Amino acid sequence: MIDIQISEKKFWDNNVEGYIFFLKEGIELVGKKEDFEKVEKDFYSNLKEIFKKHKFEGKIGQSFVLTATKDKSLIQLVFVGIGKLKNRWNIELENFRRAVGTSVKLLKKLKIENAVLSVPDEKSFGLIKPKLVRQIVITSLLAEYEFTKFKSDKKEDIKIQLLMDVGSDESQPFAISLKEGQIIGNATNFARYLSDMPANYMTPTSLGNEAKKIADKNDLECTVFGAEKAKELGMGGFLSVDAGSEEEGKFVVIEYKSLKKDAPTIALVGKGVTFDSGGLSLKPSACMEGMKFDMSGAAAVIATMSAIGQIKPQVNVVGITPLVENMPSGKSCKLNDIITFMNGKTAEIKNTDAEGRLILADALCYAEKFYKPDVILDIATLTGACLSALGHFFTALLTKNEEIGTKLQAISLVSGDRVWPLPLDDDFKKAVESNVADISNIGLPEYKAGTITAAWFLSNFVEKTKWAHLDIAGTADSIPSISYLGKGATGAGVRLFVDFILNYNIDKR
Ligand code: BES
Ligand code: ZN
Ligand code: MG
């Protein structure tokens, strides 16, 4: 548990166990010179010498803790490096987020139950202070998340109170930043929880129930249907993957309706394969491990809807997630089967492990047909090739719409939920042609570029709507080097979607 508040007092006037300070490389506080002087005056007059002795230079990743006495009790001074500041704002902001992550992890480790965090000065990292506060709130919540549900001896969960010293700027809209930050941080952690849950618990049915629960809680419309209705709608892609599993697939639709008249509509479509064994094109064991994360796109969409239900922007949002398990069995879809999607197009199955695009195809048709949205964004752990191209740090962004693409990338770099474009160029279009059907479900091997050919496959199912595809195969789970995420599910897409929606120009249609 972490409780975050804005502090109106100077840091030294708060009765707490710890102070957190951020230092640039070369040992300089970010802004706030007076804070540093106060520490030197009250506690350690030779602070810089001490840092030097211990080789603490304020580099990114470095931290240093000193204990001091104040009013006869001990107080921990936590110094965290943020590296260099050279006006490369996006990079520096991400470094700062990681420093915040390091701080929160330190508070937990040292069992410091209440602390004041000295918020850097106006315009550091290219953000106005309320926006920076919003980032600190989100990041602190992310840093606090741990997946301990199945640990018998849970470490006692300490409750941390974090006070943000914003200086004497009370007139700025910090309350909104705090509230939005909390909603977004908690929603991202909810997505992480859904993804971290193993596939024996998080089946299509239970994930569908989680969606219903979250919709109820936030006054959102939620519809969940299964194979029967999917058959009526002609969802041959969804059904072909669903066929192999004992668990019934579910198709989930969550709607947020803005009170504003004629508001634009954004559709979010998320891949929800609760376990991807590969089907009859069975994955080797080492590749199958981790495939509980194959519903992370759906988790991002469901969690985004919960945040949107709370923030209530002036944009309509519909979240659509097809949920299935991809399994081999006597009822599985076979190689060279030909299936027909909701829009009447046909595809030859050349590999049953390219299942995500099959369920997304019907979901994209469904979004366009029933909601006529202004924009469709889909998100999926779609291709292993994406992991090779961008690793765990960047989500692949593929779109033919330059405006949406530029916007998404810019927003992603500020939110820390980073995307990088790959070309959805005509040169790759022929890769998914088939001899016997309209298209093939995998790209021809000579075209390589599996992430791009998968996106070309999907493009067949969006007729006239502005559309962007996000491949989170790499970013859905993390390696430990991002301090505020650690290992496990990341909630990739939630921070990006919420900010995209909140920034969507409501006058532009
Ligand atoms: N779920 C996988 C993609 C994936 C791989 C996500 C590794 C995360 C880590 C997807 O369904 C898949 O198996 N894709 C195949 C497609 C291929 C058969 C064209 C792949 O990438 O190998
Ligand atoms: Zn998959
Ligand atoms: Mg697969």
Side-chain angles (χ1 to χ4, degrees), residues 271 276 294 355 381:
K271 169 180 171 179
D276 183 13
D294 215 17
E355 83 297 339
T381 46

Side-chain angles (χ1 to χ4, degrees), residues 271 273 276 283 291 294 326 353 355-356 381-382:
K271 169 180 171 179
V273 176
D276 183 13
K283 285 182 187 292
M291 283 303 139
D294 215 17
N326 187 23
D353 197 10
E355 83 297 339
T381 46
L382 204 63

Side-chain angles (χ1 to χ4, degrees), residues 21 34 41 51 59 96 176 184 372 382:
F21 302 104
E34 72 281 8
K41 184 166 156 279
F51 287 155
K59 285 192 172 144
F96 176 66
I176 293 178
I184 296 167
K372 302 192 170 42
L382 204 63

